[in-house]
Amino acid sequence: MKNTRLWIADSDVSYGDAFREYVNLKKGYLFQVRMCTQKEQLLKALSEEEIEILLLSAAWYENLRDSIRNECVIFLSEGSLPKELHRYPAVYKYQSVENILREIMYYYSDQEREEEYYTGVLKDNKVIGIYAPSGGIRKNKFAITLGQILAEERNVLYLNLEECSGFSEIMGGNHWNLSDLIYYLRQKKVSFLYRLNSMVQKLDRLDYIPSCESYTDFVQITVEEWQRLLHLIRTQSMYDVIILDLGTRAGHSVDLLRELSGLYVPAGQDLISQGKFSQWERYIQVSDAVDVLEKVQRLELPGSREELCREEDLLMLPQQELGAYIRGLLQE
């Protein structure tokens, strides 16, 4: 995919230089940034260049309003905007570049363009599932730790497909989550990668999309929609590995399980855990999905006693007992 031309038009030279340098040096980003620091420069660019996104100082609008055509115009706001500009999207100028880029991608992905993105060749990437019929937080700790360790050397995306993950509560509220991304797909708009990247949050080097907050929204997502989401991530994004932290509903979806490259199944040795694993295994067998069972690697996780009391504790997991166990597992 070609880089989208993003022009920043503002008289603050140091701000524009810092913004442009950050984005243009960031590996894998979707934008190529150019800069105008004088209104005459921008007028010339508008008449001669193809500008797909224009990040424009609100103070310049009055002199340029007649020259703006079909560009996606987003205003740089230093606080409040004049009333006549309220119909345009705006981003607050003095925040992190990462946050500005997320908002730009979100607004740009709402633009209507004639492209087709539903077809594409799968890249050489993997989808790793983690599911525990007996449930419990040890599965989540395993999935998050695995993701962080793999992200030390690869581009990794973590998706939680549980009915009630609690992940958003732990990591703090977010504007957008998986429900919003699925809703975007339902609208059949074409700029999936921009919308995806606008929602990505980070846990150290591990990328994740905040999980669904509403149980009602979650149960209305079909298997076909999850499959379409995975297909688009695998064909359009830069991710080498997608980790699916599966809940009960997803863990019993044979069609979704068939999308996996491998499936880790933590199962304890106690009587109830054994019984739940056997029942799930039998369900897969009677569903004529022996091929799914061939992907299963059953695990007995170490009896880790580390408690998670703060978000920072998640960052420490790769250096603790569970992290050492996973590193050994990956070397086998």
Side-chain angles (χ1 to χ4, degrees):
M1 178 181 287
K2 68 179 182 65
N3 288 348
T4 299
R5 287 171 288 272
L6 167 63
W7 288 66
I8 178 169
D10 191 278
S11 56
D12 188 338
V13 177
S14 60
Y15 180 89
D17 281 339
F19 188 99
R20 179 177 60 180
E21 182 178 6
Y22 180 91
V23 180
N24 287 347
L25 292 178
K26 193 171 177 66
K27 182 180 178 181
Y29 236 101
L30 298 173
F31 299 118
Q32 180 183 25
V33 179
R34 300 184 68 179
M35 182 174 66
C36 287
T37 57
Q38 298 178 352
K39 296 173 187 176
E40 294 73 19
Q41 270 184 297
L42 182 57
L43 283 169
K44 187 172 186 295
L46 285 168
S47 64
E48 298 177 359
E49 305 276 353
E50 181 181 357
I51 300 177
E52 292 167 287
I53 302 176
L54 177 59
L55 193 59
L56 178 64
S57 170
W60 289 20
Y61 176 71
E62 192 62 37
N63 299 97
L64 297 167
R65 62 191 307 167
D66 295 332
S67 300
I68 296 173
R69 303 185 301 275
N70 298 320
E71 298 82 11
C72 174
V73 178
I74 301 171
F75 282 101
L76 273 174
S77 168
E78 299 186 26
S80 59
L81 286 174
K83 187 175 296 185
E84 64 268 22
L85 301 186
H86 287 180
R87 61 193 177 96
Y88 290 100
V91 298
Y92 181 60
K93 181 177 180 179
Y94 302 112
Q95 60 178 318
S96 71
V97 178
E98 286 289 345
N99 285 341
I100 292 175
L101 290 171
R102 284 194 191 100
E103 294 183 41
I104 289 173
M105 288 186 287
Y106 186 87
Y107 293 132
Y108 185 61
S109 65
D110 262 344
Q111 302 296 303
E112 297 291 349
R113 287 177 299 282
E114 294 184 359
E115 299 177 30
E116 180 56 58
Y117 71 98
Y118 283 106
T119 59
V121 178
L122 291 178
K123 298 179 182 178
D124 184 22
N125 44 27
K126 294 182 179 181
V127 183
I128 299 175
I130 297 93
Y131 175 61
S134 56
I137 65 169
R138 296 177 72 194
K139 171 184 73 75
N140 302 117
K141 290 169 68 174
F142 177 88
I144 293 169
T145 308
L146 174 66
Q148 289 185 81
I149 290 173
L150 291 175
E152 292 171 357
E153 297 182 353
R154 285 175 270 186
N155 296 317
V156 183
L157 179 66
Y158 168 88
L159 301 177
N160 187 295
L161 272 59
E162 293 181 306
E163 294 83 349
C164 181
S165 72
F167 207 64
S168 295
E169 302 295 325
I170 297 170
M171 305 300 291
N174 295 282
H175 290 299
W176 308 297
N177 58 48
L178 272 175
S179 297
D180 300 300
L181 189 56
I182 293 294
Y183 178 73
Y184 182 83
L185 295 187
R186 289 171 180 163
Q187 294 178 296
K188 300 188 182 303
K189 293 188 176 181
V190 298
S191 296
F192 167 78
L193 194 53
Y194 293 92
R195 183 57 62 101
L196 173 74
N197 285 358
S198 75
M199 295 182 176
V200 167
Q201 303 291 323
K202 282 192 171 290
L203 182 66
D204 195 15
R205 298 180 185 178
L206 175 64
D207 286 1
Y208 70 93
I209 304 290
S211 53
C212 298
E213 294 185 359
S214 166
Y215 174 79
T216 301
D217 289 345
F218 179 86
V219 297
Q220 290 176 351
I221 300 173
T222 66
V223 174
E224 290 76 16
E225 287 172 330
W226 288 126
Q227 289 176 307
R228 185 188 307 169
L229 176 63
L230 287 174
H231 178 80
L232 291 174
I233 294 172
R234 295 191 68 187
T235 57
Q236 301 296 317
S237 77
M238 299 291 290
Y239 290 111
D240 305 306
V241 182
I242 302 102
I243 291 182
L244 300 185
D245 194 346
L246 304 168
T248 301
R249 186 181 179 92
H252 283 76
S253 171
V254 169
D255 288 337
L256 183 57
L257 294 176
R258 284 192 166 120
E259 299 286 333
L260 304 176
S261 310
L263 176 60
Y264 289 118
V265 181
Q269 294 300 312
D270 63 279
L271 186 64
I272 294 177
S273 295
Q274 293 288 328
K276 288 189 175 185
F277 177 83
S278 296
Q279 183 177 342
W280 173 79
E281 187 178 41
R282 187 166 60 254
Y283 167 79
I284 299 297
Q285 290 172 341
V286 300
S287 300
D288 196 23
V290 177
D291 56 307
V292 169
L293 293 178
E294 293 173 353
K295 302 177 182 180
V296 170
Q297 187 168 355
R298 186 175 176 180
L299 306 174
E300 184 177 354
L301 302 183
S304 175
R305 297 181 179 179
E306 294 93 354
E307 293 186 1
L308 301 179
C309 301
R310 305 166 301 167
E311 179 182 333
E312 291 78 8
D313 293 335
L314 294 172
L315 298 173
M316 296 302 298
L317 288 171
Q319 284 72 53
Q320 295 174 346
E321 182 182 13
L322 182 58
Y325 171 82
I326 290 174
R327 292 182 196 278
L329 188 67
L330 294 174
Q331 291 176 358
E332 293 179 357

